[in-house]
Amino acid sequence: SQPTIESRFEGCLLGLAVGDALGAPFEGMSADDIAQRYPSAQDLIENPPPEELCYTDDTQMAIGVAETLVKCGRINERELCKRFVANYSPERGYGAGAKIVLEAMVDERDHKVLAANHFPGGSFGNGAAMRVAPVGLMFRHDHERLWREARLSALPTHVHPLGIEGAQLLALAVGIASTIEAFDRDDFFASLAEKCQSQDYTDPLRKASLLSDVGASDVRDLALFGNGIEATSSVVTAIAAFAMSPNSYDATIGNAILLGGDTDTIAAMAGAISGAYLGITAIPFHLLEHLEDQEQGASYLQILASKLRAAHEKI
Ligand code: F2R
Ligand code: MG
Ligand code: MG
Ligand code: MG
């Protein structure tokens, strides 16, 4: 039976957090190093690192996006910056440029000028895409609006067109996944490609649309799409990890992490799409139970998912 809408909203936010937290211990490692300890995705899912699973900047910033949508019913840039500042916790690990921009926000210095100039043309890191999933849920029934609001959610830190488009693409993947009844690979990729402008995304999306389910195609093909910290070498990877295993949250995030590189972020993005499609019950209970549950942990994410759903009903 189809997951309920409640289940899909929870699945998306918790799916993001679990992917982030399970991927985090491996961030920056090579695929070969990870494979020595975990030869398969199943090994990783069944025997996760024994420590509590702690999420990172990816989830922390997605919380700020969701809180903004709950409060304003849209992306209000001032409110979003306020939430990023209130939630800023450097120990969770941020991108080098993002840290500089966020610390300017915290100190009430001009963060806009840093967001525009710290990197030439602004940042095309995956930091806007990693946090955008709540926008995909909120505007799932209006893809034009979704595309605009995803851009607004990127702007405080990511003004480079490729950083923005990566976020828009990931939001759209979440939005579509949260509404479809059965995954159709051709339809899914056609809807994504239709909105994309840049060849940096349209070319790999075309390649990803040609891969079939794991089994028929080789999971190692995912590495073709990159495992980097740039949006252009991670967003399509996450989408492809979902599309290769649309009926398994475990395989989606496990395969994403086994690629190495930006493991927390690729698994967070892939996990958000998968959770939005399959619902919360697809996420293994032992991972949910293992996720940190402090003031802003698993149960807070569940409350936030429910508030986001209520806000979504009002638009
Ligand atoms: N920062 C990390 N991980 C490394 C440290 C964590 C580690 N576990 C530890 O502390 O031990 N992860 C987080 O950062 C990524 C998101 O980054 P974001 O928010 O996009 O940041 P930034 O700095 O804007 O961009 C990331 C890098 O991309 C390159 N880059 C971006 N725009 C560029 C441009 N126009 N020209 C050249 N390079 C550009 C830079 O190297 C940026 O630093 C996620 O992985 C998250 O988990
Ligand atoms: Mg991170
Ligand atoms: Mg079709
Ligand atoms: Mg990362």
Side-chain angles (χ1 to χ4, degrees), residues 27 57-58 262-265:
E27 192 181 22
D57 58 329
D58 307 49
D262 198 358
T263 48
D264 63 328
T265 303

Side-chain angles (χ1 to χ4, degrees), residues 137-150:
L137 291 177
M138 183 80 171
F139 303 105
R140 58 211 272 272
H141 292 310
D142 181 351
H143 293 176
E144 296 302 322
R145 175 108 194 251
L146 175 153
W147 204 252
R148 290 198 304 274
E149 299 276 351

Side-chain angles (χ1 to χ4, degrees), residues 36-80:
Q36 297 206 346
R37 185 158 157 210
Y38 294 107
S40 73
Q42 197 185 343
D43 288 313
L44 171 62
I45 300 295
E46 286 176 4
N47 309 291
E51 308 82 38
E52 184 179 54
L53 296 176
C54 292
Y55 63 75
T56 75
D57 58 329
D58 307 49
T59 304
Q60 190 72 336
M61 295 196 84
I63 287 173
V65 172
E67 289 172 339
T68 301
L69 292 170
V70 166
K71 177 152 184 220
C72 305
R74 64 187 175 90
I75 294 296
N76 171 307
E77 209 177 322
R78 267 170 79 96
E79 181 65 25
L80 183 60

